[in-house]
Amino acid sequence: MIPDDEALLRRCADGDRQASAMLINQHSPRVFAIAQRMLGNREDAEDTVQDVFIKVFRHAGKWEAGKAKFTTWLHRVTVNQCYDRLRKKRETGMDDVPDMADDTEGPAAQLQSKQIETRVKEAIDELPERQRAALILSHYEGLSNPETAEILDISVEAVESLLSRARRSLKKALTGERATLMGRME
Amino acid sequence: MKLEHFEMLLDLHGPDVSGWPEADSIAARSLLSTSAEARTLLEQAETLETMLGSYTVAEPSAKLEAALLDLAPVAPAARPAKAKPGFFARLFDMKVMTSAGMALASMAFGLYIGLSATTPPVLDEDADAFLLTASASFSSEFWQEVE
């Protein structure tokens, strides 16, 4: 049986390496996935995951059971760290270093899928930060609108508005690719 | 349900009509059964969903997981014990302490000598004369000012 997050946090605070490894194993994939999609590059996402876990371990001993859900807090910290990193990048005028595209030659359909994936990534990167965060939490992480609202500290209605606008923008941005894909499926 | 409302709901909830709020879901199904445009909108939304699903991300590498574990708190017993200072280290510490003490004592002695040298010796007669003058000048006006 996997211990719950609160029990793991208590053990982490006491220096239990096994508990820390379990906590990392359970939560780092999700934190890393959110950071990659929010920041659009792997290197920044890795740094962000480390920043998030520094906070997790710093707060492990102070965690108050029953006050808040650990995963909600973790998602909020992750999204805020991503916002911070994006803001710093804007302030310093640093451009993103895009991940290298996989240039492996393959069958035409495979290559086309890769191109579509790249376009989807670009279209998501172009979304305003809050729309991107709402889409990532809701669509990719499968969180409910009330959960997303709690993480983003906004109302459920605001989440719905962000999601609608995000989907509309993506639909517009990916018109060409959508036609290609629909043609392929026919 | 009008087509515009259906499109708005597609943007809001995505193309899984069965997961929509019940009333909207029933109305949407009814519209889909009669409107080819509604079916095209649904198909477009489904394609968008498929496209979004194509955007995959990497799992954390073993290197990243190891780096994260290095950030974890360490139990006091697992912390490397502080090495006991060797003989020379202790000697150095003693030397430092002794030097500091000696420097402090020298400063105090120097200060004492300096002050002694600058203060003129006071003869008994001079002291008596000074006290006499001082007591004479202690008028009641002076004390009123002080108070």
Side-chain angles (χ1 to χ4, degrees):
Chain A
M1 197 181 116
I2 301 167
D4 64 40
D5 291 330
E6 287 175 3
L8 282 178
L9 283 169
R10 275 195 302 274
R11 285 169 54 192
C12 280
D14 291 339
D16 182 334
R17 300 280 283 178
Q18 202 188 351
S20 299
M22 281 171 88
L23 200 76
I24 290 165
N25 198 35
Q26 259 171 248
H27 296 290
S28 67
R30 197 170 235 198
V31 172
F32 191 41
I34 294 171
Q36 283 180 87
R37 289 194 174 103
M38 278 296 292
L39 303 169
N41 108 34
R42 190 180 169 139
E43 203 173 288
D44 281 343
E46 287 188 345
D47 290 344
T48 301
V49 177
Q50 295 192 44
D51 291 343
V52 169
F53 273 87
I54 286 171
K55 289 203 170 192
V56 168
F57 293 133
R58 197 182 294 155
H59 285 85
K62 300 173 210 156
W63 189 261
E64 288 180 43
K67 203 171 179 186
K69 204 173 159 195
F70 172 68
T71 47
T72 305
W73 177 83
L74 183 69
H75 283 118
R76 187 181 283 191
V77 170
T78 305
V79 172
N80 287 342
Q81 287 288 331
C82 291
Y83 283 161
D84 275 357
R85 198 165 279 267
L86 289 166
R87 183 178 45 79
K88 277 178 198 156
K89 280 198 160 185
R90 270 199 309 274
E91 282 170 4
T92 54
M94 278 169 67
D95 286 332
D96 265 346
V97 181
D99 285 338
M100 293 299 286
D102 185 1
D103 57 2
T104 314
E105 286 295 325
Q110 202 180 328
L111 195 65
Q112 206 174 48
S113 298
K114 196 71 207 168
Q115 283 169 349
I116 288 172
E117 184 180 356
T118 306
R119 271 300 299 136
V120 170
K121 180 186 173 301
E122 285 168 358
I124 290 175
D125 286 352
E126 283 161 19
L127 289 175
E129 284 167 21
R130 279 151 54 93
Q131 287 183 29
R132 202 184 318 162
L135 182 85
I136 290 166
L137 295 173
S138 168
H139 181 85
Y140 289 103
E141 299 307 319
L143 301 179
S144 67
N145 289 357
E147 283 174 313
T148 304
E150 199 181 345
I151 290 163
L152 299 181
D153 203 18
I154 54 177
S155 67
V156 175
E157 290 74 23
V159 169
E160 288 176 350
S161 166
L162 288 172
L163 286 174
S164 291
R165 282 185 280 154
R167 280 209 180 89
R168 229 173 299 152
S169 301
L170 290 174
K171 217 158 59 176
K172 204 172 161 189
L174 299 168
T175 308
E177 287 74 17
R178 211 172 58 209
T180 309
L181 198 65
M182 282 174 89
R184 219 168 74 188
M185 289 194 301
E186 277 165 9
Chain B
M1 180 182 280
K2 288 193 174 165
L3 199 64
E4 294 76 33
H5 187 54
F6 176 70
E7 191 173 13
M8 193 266 291
L9 289 171
L10 273 177
D11 288 336
L12 180 58
H13 302 300
D16 182 12
V17 178
S18 63
W20 292 9
E22 202 180 345
D24 288 335
S25 180
I26 292 166
R29 279 170 212 269
S30 168
L31 180 72
L32 284 165
S33 66
T34 56
S35 166
E37 281 175 300
R39 286 194 293 275
T40 304
L41 286 175
L42 179 67
E43 202 180 341
Q44 285 176 352
E46 283 169 342
T47 312
L48 178 67
E49 217 68 359
T50 308
M51 288 171 73
L52 291 180
S54 74
Y55 180 17
T56 55
V57 287
E59 288 281 305
S61 63
K63 194 179 159 194
L64 177 61
E65 284 186 343
L68 295 176
L69 196 56
D70 281 344
L71 300 171
V74 179
R79 281 185 205 126
K82 253 189 175 175
K84 202 177 167 187
F87 174 74
F88 285 107
R90 275 180 286 154
L91 193 67
F92 174 75
D93 277 355
M94 272 179 65
K95 265 174 77 178
V96 169
M97 292 302 288
T98 312
S99 307
M102 282 175 72
L104 213 63
S106 307
M107 278 168 66
F109 185 68
L111 202 65
Y112 171 71
I113 294 293
L115 285 171
S116 312
T118 52
T119 309
V122 180
L123 299 173
D124 285 349
E125 299 92 285
D126 292 340
D128 289 343
F130 174 77
L131 284 172
L132 200 68
T133 317
S135 60
S137 63
F138 278 178
S139 64
S140 57
E141 277 174 28
F142 172 80
W143 288 111
Q144 275 166 5
E145 274 179 38
V146 171
E147 282 164 6

